[in-house]
Amino acid sequence: MSHAVPPAPPVTVPVAGTTDVFPVRRIYCVGRNYAAHAREMGFDPDREPPFFFCKPADAIVVAAPGQTADFPYPPGTSNVHHEIELVLAIGRGGRNIAVEHALEHVYGYAVGLDMTRRDLQFQLRDKGRPWDLAKAFDHSAPIGPLHPAATVPGIHQAAIWLQVDGADRQRSSVAHLIWSVAETVSCLSQYFELVPGDLVYTGTPEGVGAVQRGQTMRGGIDGLGEISVRVV
């Protein structure tokens, strides 16, 4: 048997401090998971059930430590926003995972950006249409190296922040997640069988905003280091 067309190369994320890489299967994202961000988007921040959307695995752009990755400004938009996020990686699969056991399924964590065509998102939202054009485009998921969960025991209280050209845009704490990491994993597993290689972008705090060509986004989460991404 031969491939009808050449297979795509595997998508991987480096594991910090090792030569290992984490193979990416799917990317799930949580919408409006910080109350202050829900407010700035014009929504009630009450604890409604979480909702999810997806990005393709090849939307990954690895931002290596000490380097600045490129984010090509996407076509079809004039209003691209940054969203700094804690990313979790699934290392043990399962369905209907109980909250009290959910963290046992997490391999590790990384700093990520959920880049968004905000103008298209609003248009799609107002028409009741899916968000794929706004969220699932090429290069829309920059990410730093994964850190095994055991090496970042304080991650659930960690500071999270992002600057654009050195000016603060987003600054909060992972403790302000509406739905915790464990609750998110548990809820997501009610709808999908989670498999090793899955990534989950857990939502962004307040302060999202537009970026332009030539600007550099630098963000981080305590314990996970920083990522640097330039809009080109």
Side-chain angles (χ1 to χ4, degrees):
M1 182 182 69
S2 61
H3 295 287
V5 298
V11 177
T12 61
V13 176
V15 177
T18 75
T19 57
D20 294 342
V21 293
F22 183 89
V24 180
R25 174 179 175 265
R26 291 181 180 174
I27 302 174
Y28 301 99
C29 304
V30 187
R32 296 197 295 267
N33 204 18
Y34 286 80
H37 174 58
R39 291 189 189 98
E40 74 178 355
M41 292 289 99
F43 291 92
D44 187 336
D46 285 348
R47 204 169 186 265
E48 64 179 1
F51 71 92
F52 304 95
F53 57 92
C54 292
K55 292 176 181 277
D58 62 5
I60 288 288
V61 176
V62 174
Q67 300 180 24
T68 297
D70 285 344
F71 168 72
Y73 198 96
T77 181
S78 60
N79 191 20
V80 175
H81 279 209
H82 57 75
E83 298 189 6
I84 189 76
E85 308 205 1
L86 172 69
V87 183
L88 67 91
I90 296 295
R92 176 179 154 198
R95 288 183 183 271
N96 300 315
I97 300 167
V99 172
E100 58 268 28
H101 297 300
L103 294 183
E104 300 168 15
H105 294 256
V106 177
Y107 169 81
Y109 301 93
V111 182
L113 284 167
D114 167 17
M115 301 303 296
T116 303
R117 288 166 164 152
R118 190 71 73 201
D119 45 1
L120 296 189
Q121 184 189 23
F122 288 164
Q123 293 170 23
L124 294 166
R125 184 191 71 189
D126 292 346
K127 294 177 180 178
R129 294 177 179 174
W131 287 3
D132 297 63
L133 290 177
K135 291 287 193 177
F137 56 91
D138 297 340
H139 316 294
S140 62
I143 191 171
L146 279 168
H147 295 250
T151 68
V152 284
I155 194 63
H156 305 290
Q157 304 293 324
I160 179 171
W161 57 274
L162 181 129
Q163 296 179 332
V164 176
D165 288 347
D168 269 13
R169 290 280 188 92
Q170 296 182 265
R171 193 166 291 274
S172 187
S173 170
V174 174
H176 294 159
L177 283 168
I178 297 172
W179 292 89
S180 70
V181 167
E183 290 170 329
T184 295
V185 170
S186 176
C187 183
L188 188 58
S189 74
Q190 315 305 312
Y191 299 96
F192 299 93
E193 180 180 3
L194 298 181
V195 173
D198 290 340
L199 298 179
V200 183
Y201 280 59
T202 61
T204 195
E206 69 276 15
V208 300
V211 289
Q212 307 296 331
R213 288 182 178 88
Q215 292 187 312
T216 297
M217 300 171 285
R218 187 170 65 89
I221 299 174
D222 286 358
L224 301 180
E226 301 178 1
I227 61 172
S228 179
V229 180
R230 178 178 50 245
V231 185
V232 297

